[in-house]
Amino acid sequence: MPRHRRCSRLRRIVGGVSVGALLLLAGSGGHNAYSGRPVFSLPLGLGAPFPLVADSPAPPPFPFAADFSPSPSPSPQSQYSPFRLSDDSLARRLLPLRLRAGHSPPPQEADAVLLPDQEVLVLDDTEPTGDAICAFQGGASSPARPLGRLPASGLHAYVCRLPEPAQSFQQLQAPLLLHSSTSSAAAAAPDPPSPSPGRALLNWSSDPIVFDSALLDGGDVLVFAKGISGRQGLQCLYRYSDGAGTMLASTPAISSVQQVTRCPSPPTPVKSGGSTKVLVTLGVTGEDPMPSLATFRRQQAESSSLTPHKSSICACTMGRNISKFLREWALYHSAIGVDQFFIYDNCSEDNLAGLVAQLISSGLNITTVPWPWTKVQEAGLSHCAATQQASCQWMAVIDVDEFIFSTSWAGLEKPSKSLLEPVISVDDSVGQIYLACYDFAPSGQTAHPPEGVCQGYTCRLKNPQRHKSLVRLDAVEPSLMNVVHHFKLKPAFKSIWTALARVNHYKYQAWPEFKVKFKRRVSAYVADWKDPINLDSKDRAPGLGVDDTEPKGWAQRYCEVKDNILQLLTARWFGVGFGNPH
């Protein structure tokens, strides 16, 4: 695995000026300054609004990570510590660089990161117009697959395989991204292009990294980072141009929980326009700032680009290669009252964009957000909840194998977009509604059922194992803390259980589909199934262990109760196999 040097040490220097200056100095600690703290649990003390029967789980405690207390709000005059860089060449370099006395730092650009499974993510501002390749040092190359445009930065994300010859380099450089005309010319050249020295390739598995950001309507900036949990005295660091030169500014973070740090907006440049590009990273006084891939533009907040209509219910999900499930899931939930869908795409390779385009043309409101980052599901849901507050009142946090359903609908001849209204018709103090989650079994299936999951899987475990939630977005606590299944709420709001609906979770599918779960779990705080830890976690399959070999009798497992209500209902409403393309 390539090793990468840490960047620079950040120190605040005060003296001789009215405002403290930020300097990037030489020096590096011998420890990982951003190692995370373990998550611990405390009970939230939520009561159920109805008598709990044997099939109903007790109200879940709320596990939450230790976070630091917000720093006192500084006065406007003292909040920021900006200074102008005299060397214009630094405008092309990232903030976390080492400045040595007497000469400039080596050039370094954080526009690429080595992901698990020997994949390299590259960010580029060039609009995809054809084929592209990643050119690595030593002359090796591989095709670059476009993933889409990141919302905050506007940069296009590409992923390419790390060629085997390039894996032998100890100090691996970021590849060059070559587009069709450029790559053709490069291929014809006697000496193939190679990356410029100094463009280090970050390592997702070992480096602390600021990987994304979001500018919100109120002016706050969300900074998404791995390796920062539990740090005290965290500073938000900005780098931008004010029209006269390059500026750096720092300000204390408002909050930092899990992989999400909320920062105040940087000072507004006096001489520049509204589309100023801002680099953001995080640091602690006296320690290295984090290398950063995250930039945003001041032109508008992410949620400002949405339509002014505010939907009653939206759904947010994250997945990779979910096309075979998405049509059925989206058509069903649209028919019962979900108005908008937000799909956080984790590097899909199954033409998800093409399917989404078809669904949009059929009248569904679907937005795809490229989310190429590994094991950061909580951060993605935080991003969704924060950026969609202007467009959604309630958000269903469910996966594409989970269907909100009520047995009271069993006699209906056709669906209605008002079916979920009774579920969210609650007191104003309710900010979150828990739905019991019933796990369905393979039901004798040995391959993905052609009629779809809700018609192909018809038996389940008797008792609910977990829960999912409908969350009121303006009730979510500003830190955006969540455990995937539910969010932490503001003090004025409470969470309740509902008996009016449940979730059918088609978890234990035919083995070829189910074994994909062994590759990697998307949650940051859930062990991958091949790791021999937390073997009793409800995230896992009971008795399966860490082996991804199909166990004997898999197709007949977990079938304790026959439940074909949704199968019969959707066949009546939509026809058999309604999720298949026509």
Coordinates of all heavy atoms in Angstrom, one line a residue, residues 168-230:
S168 N 3.7 -0.5 -7.2 CA 5.1 -0.7 -6.6 C 5.7 0.6 -6.1 O 6.7 0.5 -5.4 CB 6.0 -1.4 -7.6 OG 6.2 -0.6 -8.7
F169 N 5.2 1.7 -6.5 CA 5.8 3.0 -6.1 C 5.5 3.3 -4.6 O 4.4 3.2 -4.1 CB 5.3 4.1 -6.9 CG 5.8 4.1 -8.3 CD1 5.1 3.5 -9.3 CD2 7.0 4.8 -8.6 CE1 5.6 3.5 -10.6 CE2 7.5 4.8 -9.9 CZ 6.8 4.1 -10.9
Q170 N 6.5 3.6 -3.8 CA 6.4 4.0 -2.4 C 5.7 5.3 -2.2 O 4.9 5.5 -1.3 CB 7.7 3.9 -1.7 CG 8.3 2.5 -1.6 CD 7.4 1.6 -0.8 OE1 6.9 1.9 0.3 NE2 7.0 0.4 -1.3
Q171 N 6.1 6.3 -3.1 CA 5.5 7.6 -3.0 C 4.7 7.8 -4.3 O 5.2 8.4 -5.3 CB 6.6 8.7 -2.9 CG 7.4 8.6 -1.6 CD 6.5 9.0 -0.4 OE1 5.5 9.7 -0.5 NE2 6.9 8.4 0.8
L172 N 3.5 7.3 -4.3 CA 2.7 7.4 -5.5 C 2.1 8.8 -5.7 O 1.6 9.4 -4.8 CB 1.6 6.3 -5.4 CG 0.7 6.1 -6.6 CD1 1.6 5.5 -7.7 CD2 -0.4 5.1 -6.3
Q173 N 2.3 9.3 -6.9 CA 1.7 10.6 -7.3 C 0.3 10.4 -7.9 O -0.1 9.4 -8.4 CB 2.6 11.2 -8.3 CG 4.1 11.4 -7.9 CD 4.2 12.3 -6.7 OE1 3.6 13.3 -6.6 NE2 5.0 11.8 -5.7
A174 N -0.4 11.5 -7.7 CA -1.8 11.5 -8.3 C -1.7 11.4 -9.9 O -0.8 12.0 -10.5 CB -2.5 12.8 -8.0
P175 N -2.6 10.7 -10.5 CA -2.5 10.5 -11.9 C -2.9 11.7 -12.7 O -3.6 12.6 -12.1 CB -3.4 9.3 -12.2 CG -4.4 9.4 -11.1 CD -3.7 9.9 -9.9
L176 N -2.5 11.8 -13.9 CA -3.0 12.8 -14.8 C -4.3 12.3 -15.4 O -4.4 11.1 -15.8 CB -2.1 13.1 -16.0 CG -0.8 13.8 -15.6 CD1 0.1 14.0 -16.8 CD2 -1.0 15.2 -15.0
L177 N -5.3 13.1 -15.5 CA -6.6 12.7 -16.2 C -6.6 13.3 -17.6 O -6.5 14.5 -17.8 CB -7.8 13.3 -15.4 CG -9.1 12.9 -15.9 CD1 -9.4 11.4 -15.6 CD2 -10.3 13.7 -15.3
L178 N -6.6 12.4 -18.6 CA -6.5 12.8 -20.0 C -7.8 12.4 -20.7 O -8.3 11.3 -20.6 CB -5.4 12.0 -20.7 CG -4.0 12.2 -20.0 CD1 -2.9 11.3 -20.7 CD2 -3.6 13.6 -20.0
H179 N -8.4 13.4 -21.3 CA -9.6 13.2 -22.1 C -9.4 12.8 -23.5 O -8.2 12.8 -24.0 CB -10.5 14.5 -22.0 CG -10.9 14.8 -20.6 ND1 -12.1 14.3 -20.0 CD2 -10.4 15.5 -19.6 CE1 -12.2 14.7 -18.8 NE2 -11.2 15.4 -18.5
S180 N -10.4 12.4 -24.2 CA -10.3 11.7 -25.5 C -9.3 12.3 -26.4 O -8.4 11.6 -26.8 CB -11.7 11.7 -26.2 OG -12.2 13.0 -26.3
S181 N -9.3 13.6 -26.8 CA -8.4 14.1 -27.7 C -7.0 14.1 -27.1 O -6.0 13.8 -27.8 CB -8.8 15.5 -28.2 OG -8.9 16.4 -27.0
T182 N -6.9 14.5 -25.9 CA -5.6 14.5 -25.2 C -5.0 13.2 -25.1 O -3.8 12.9 -25.3 CB -5.8 15.2 -23.8 OG1 -6.4 16.4 -23.9 CG2 -4.4 15.4 -23.1
S183 N -5.9 12.2 -24.7 CA -5.3 10.8 -24.5 C -4.9 10.2 -25.8 O -3.9 9.4 -25.8 CB -6.4 10.0 -23.8 OG -7.6 9.9 -24.6
S184 N -5.6 10.5 -26.9 CA -5.2 10.0 -28.2 C -3.8 10.5 -28.6 O -3.0 9.8 -29.1 CB -6.2 10.3 -29.3 OG -7.5 9.8 -28.9
A185 N -3.6 11.8 -28.4 CA -2.3 12.4 -28.7 C -1.3 11.9 -27.8 O -0.1 11.6 -28.3 CB -2.4 13.9 -28.6
A186 N -1.6 11.6 -26.5 CA -0.6 11.1 -25.6 C -0.2 9.7 -26.0 O 0.9 9.3 -25.9 CB -1.2 11.1 -24.2
A187 N -1.2 8.9 -26.5 CA -0.9 7.5 -26.8 C 0.0 7.5 -28.0 O 0.8 6.5 -28.2 CB -2.2 6.8 -27.1
A188 N -0.1 8.5 -28.9 CA 0.8 8.5 -30.1 C 2.2 9.0 -29.8 O 3.1 8.9 -30.6 CB 0.1 9.3 -31.2
A189 N 2.4 9.7 -28.7 CA 3.6 10.3 -28.4 C 4.7 9.2 -28.0 O 4.3 8.2 -27.5 CB 3.5 11.3 -27.2
P190 N 6.0 9.4 -28.3 CA 7.0 8.4 -28.0 C 7.2 8.2 -26.5 O 7.4 7.2 -26.1 CB 8.3 9.0 -28.7 CG 8.0 10.5 -28.8 CD 6.5 10.6 -29.1
D191 N 7.0 9.3 -25.7 CA 7.1 9.2 -24.3 C 5.7 9.5 -23.7 O 5.2 10.6 -23.8 CB 8.1 10.3 -23.8 CG 9.5 10.0 -24.3 OD1 9.9 8.8 -24.3 OD2 10.2 11.0 -24.7
P192 N 5.1 8.5 -23.1 CA 3.8 8.7 -22.5 C 3.9 9.7 -21.4 O 4.9 9.8 -20.7 CB 3.4 7.4 -22.0 CG 4.7 6.6 -21.8 CD 5.6 7.2 -22.9
P193 N 2.8 10.5 -21.2 CA 2.8 11.5 -20.1 C 2.8 10.8 -18.7 O 2.3 9.7 -18.6 CB 1.5 12.3 -20.3 CG 0.6 11.3 -21.0 CD 1.5 10.5 -21.9
S194 N 3.3 11.5 -17.8 CA 3.3 11.0 -16.4 C 3.0 12.2 -15.5 O 3.2 13.3 -15.8 CB 4.7 10.4 -16.0 OG 5.7 11.3 -16.1
P195 N 2.6 11.9 -14.2 CA 2.2 13.0 -13.3 C 3.4 13.8 -12.9 O 4.6 13.4 -12.9 CB 1.7 12.2 -12.1 CG 1.3 10.9 -12.6 CD 2.3 10.6 -13.7
S196 N 3.1 15.1 -12.6 CA 4.2 16.0 -12.2 C 4.6 15.6 -10.8 O 3.7 15.3 -10.0 CB 3.7 17.5 -12.2 OG 3.2 17.8 -13.5
P197 N 5.8 15.8 -10.5 CA 6.3 15.5 -9.1 C 5.6 16.4 -8.1 O 5.3 17.6 -8.4 CB 7.8 15.8 -9.1 CG 8.2 15.6 -10.6 CD 7.0 16.1 -11.3
G198 N 5.3 15.9 -6.9 CA 4.7 16.8 -5.9 C 3.2 16.7 -5.8 O 2.6 17.1 -4.7
R199 N 2.5 16.1 -6.8 CA 1.0 15.9 -6.7 C 0.8 14.6 -6.0 O 0.5 13.6 -6.6 CB 0.4 16.0 -8.0 CG 0.4 17.3 -8.7 CD -0.3 17.3 -10.0 NE -1.7 17.0 -9.9 CZ -2.2 15.9 -10.5 NH1 -1.4 15.1 -11.2 NH2 -3.5 15.6 -10.4
A200 N 0.9 14.6 -4.7 CA 0.8 13.3 -3.9 C -0.6 12.8 -4.0 O -1.6 13.5 -4.0 CB 1.2 13.6 -2.4
L201 N -0.7 11.5 -4.0 CA -2.0 10.8 -4.0 C -2.4 10.5 -2.5 O -1.6 9.8 -1.8 CB -1.9 9.5 -4.8 CG -3.2 8.7 -4.9 CD1 -4.2 9.4 -5.7 CD2 -2.9 7.3 -5.5
L202 N -3.5 11.1 -2.0 CA -3.9 10.8 -0.7 C -4.4 9.3 -0.6 O -4.8 8.7 -1.6 CB -5.1 11.7 -0.3 CG -4.7 13.2 -0.3 CD1 -6.0 14.0 0.0 CD2 -3.6 13.6 0.6
N203 N -4.3 8.8 0.6 CA -4.7 7.4 0.9 C -5.9 7.4 1.8 O -5.8 7.8 3.0 CB -3.6 6.7 1.5 CG -3.8 5.2 1.5 OD1 -4.9 4.7 1.8 ND2 -2.8 4.4 1.2
W204 N -7.1 7.0 1.3 CA -8.3 7.0 2.1 C -8.2 6.1 3.3 O -8.8 6.4 4.3 CB -9.5 6.5 1.2 CG -10.8 6.6 1.8 CD1 -11.5 5.6 2.5 CD2 -11.7 7.7 1.9 NE1 -12.7 6.0 3.0 CE2 -12.8 7.3 2.6 CE3 -11.6 9.0 1.4 CZ2 -13.9 8.2 2.9 CZ3 -12.6 9.9 1.7 CH2 -13.8 9.5 2.4
S205 N -7.5 5.0 3.2 CA -7.5 4.0 4.3 C -6.6 4.5 5.5 O -6.8 4.0 6.6 CB -6.9 2.7 3.8 OG -7.8 2.2 2.8
S206 N -5.6 5.4 5.2 CA -4.7 5.8 6.3 C -4.6 7.2 6.6 O -4.2 7.6 7.7 CB -3.3 5.2 5.9 OG -2.8 5.8 4.7
D207 N -5.0 8.1 5.6 CA -4.8 9.5 5.8 C -6.1 10.2 6.4 O -7.2 9.8 6.0 CB -4.5 10.2 4.5 CG -3.1 9.9 4.0 OD1 -2.3 9.4 4.7 OD2 -2.9 10.1 2.7
P208 N -5.9 11.1 7.3 CA -7.1 12.0 7.7 C -7.4 12.9 6.5 O -6.4 13.5 5.9 CB -6.6 12.8 8.9 CG -5.1 12.8 8.8 CD -4.7 11.5 8.1
I209 N -8.6 13.0 6.0 CA -8.9 13.7 4.8 C -10.2 14.5 5.0 O -11.2 14.0 5.5 CB -9.1 12.7 3.6 CG1 -7.8 12.0 3.3 CG2 -9.5 13.5 2.4 CD1 -8.0 10.9 2.3
V210 N -10.2 15.8 4.6 CA -11.4 16.5 4.4 C -11.9 16.2 3.0 O -11.2 16.5 2.0 CB -11.2 18.0 4.6 CG1 -12.5 18.8 4.1 CG2 -10.9 18.3 6.0
F211 N -13.0 15.6 2.8 CA -13.4 15.1 1.5 C -14.5 15.8 0.8 O -14.7 15.7 -0.4 CB -13.7 13.6 1.6 CG -14.8 13.2 2.5 CD1 -16.1 13.1 2.1 CD2 -14.5 12.8 3.8 CE1 -17.1 12.7 3.0 CE2 -15.4 12.3 4.7 CZ -16.8 12.3 4.3
D212 N -15.3 16.6 1.5 CA -16.4 17.3 0.8 C -16.9 18.4 1.7 O -16.5 18.5 2.9 CB -17.6 16.3 0.5 CG -18.3 16.7 -0.7 OD1 -18.2 17.9 -1.2 OD2 -19.0 15.8 -1.3
S213 N -17.8 19.3 1.2 CA -18.3 20.4 1.9 C -19.7 20.8 1.3 O -20.0 20.3 0.3 CB -17.4 21.6 1.9 OG -17.2 22.0 0.5
A214 N -20.4 21.6 2.1 CA -21.7 22.1 1.6 C -21.9 23.5 2.2 O -21.8 23.6 3.4 CB -22.8 21.1 2.0
L215 N -22.3 24.4 1.4 CA -22.7 25.8 1.8 C -24.2 25.8 2.0 O -24.9 25.5 1.1 CB -22.2 26.8 0.8 CG -22.6 28.3 1.1 CD1 -22.0 28.7 2.4 CD2 -22.2 29.2 -0.1
L216 N -24.6 26.1 3.2 CA -26.0 26.1 3.5 C -26.7 27.4 3.4 O -26.0 28.5 3.3 CB -26.2 25.6 5.0 CG -25.6 24.2 5.3 CD1 -25.9 23.8 6.7 CD2 -26.1 23.1 4.3
D217 N -28.0 27.5 3.4 CA -28.8 28.7 3.2 C -28.4 29.8 4.2 O -28.3 30.9 3.9 CB -30.3 28.4 3.2 CG -30.8 28.0 1.9 OD1 -30.2 28.3 0.9 OD2 -31.9 27.3 1.8
G218 N -28.3 29.4 5.5 CA -28.0 30.3 6.5 C -26.6 30.9 6.5 O -26.2 31.7 7.3
G219 N -25.7 30.3 5.7 CA -24.3 30.8 5.6 C -23.3 29.8 6.2 O -22.1 29.9 5.9
D220 N -23.8 28.9 7.0 CA -22.9 27.9 7.6 C -22.3 27.0 6.5 O -22.9 26.8 5.5 CB -23.6 27.1 8.7 CG -23.8 27.8 10.0 OD1 -23.3 29.0 10.1 OD2 -24.5 27.3 10.8
V221 N -21.1 26.5 6.8 CA -20.5 25.5 5.9 C -20.3 24.2 6.6 O -19.8 24.1 7.7 CB -19.1 26.0 5.4 CG1 -18.4 25.0 4.5 CG2 -19.2 27.4 4.7
L222 N -20.8 23.1 6.0 CA -20.6 21.8 6.5 C -19.3 21.2 5.9 O -19.1 21.3 4.7 CB -21.8 20.9 6.1 CG -23.1 21.2 6.7 CD1 -24.1 20.1 6.4 CD2 -23.0 21.3 8.3
V223 N -18.5 20.7 6.7 CA -17.2 20.1 6.3 C -17.2 18.7 6.6 O -17.4 18.3 7.8 CB -16.0 20.9 6.9 CG1 -14.7 20.3 6.4 CG2 -16.1 22.4 6.6
F224 N -17.0 17.8 5.6 CA -17.1 16.4 5.8 C -15.6 15.8 5.9 O -14.9 16.0 4.9 CB -17.9 15.7 4.7 CG -19.3 16.2 4.7 CD1 -19.7 17.3 3.9 CD2 -20.3 15.6 5.5 CE1 -21.0 17.8 3.9 CE2 -21.6 16.0 5.5 CZ -21.9 17.1 4.7
A225 N -15.3 15.1 6.9 CA -13.9 14.7 7.1 C -13.9 13.3 7.8 O -14.7 13.1 8.7 CB -13.1 15.7 7.9
K226 N -12.9 12.5 7.5 CA -12.7 11.3 8.2 C -11.4 11.4 9.0 O -10.4 12.0 8.6 CB -12.5 10.1 7.2 CG -11.5 10.2 6.2 CD -11.3 9.0 5.3 CE -10.8 7.8 6.1 NZ -9.4 7.9 6.5
G227 N -11.4 10.9 10.2 CA -10.3 11.0 11.1 C -10.2 12.2 12.0 O -9.2 12.6 12.5
I228 N -11.4 12.9 12.2 CA -11.4 14.1 13.0 C -12.3 14.0 14.3 O -12.3 14.8 15.1 CB -12.0 15.3 12.2 CG1 -11.6 16.6 12.8 CG2 -13.5 15.2 12.0 CD1 -10.1 16.9 12.7
S229 N -13.0 12.8 14.5 CA -14.0 12.7 15.5 C -13.4 12.9 16.9 O -12.3 12.4 17.3 CB -14.6 11.3 15.5 OG -15.5 11.1 16.6
G230 N -14.1 13.8 17.7 CA -13.7 14.0 19.1 C -12.6 15.0 19.3 O -12.1 15.1 20.5

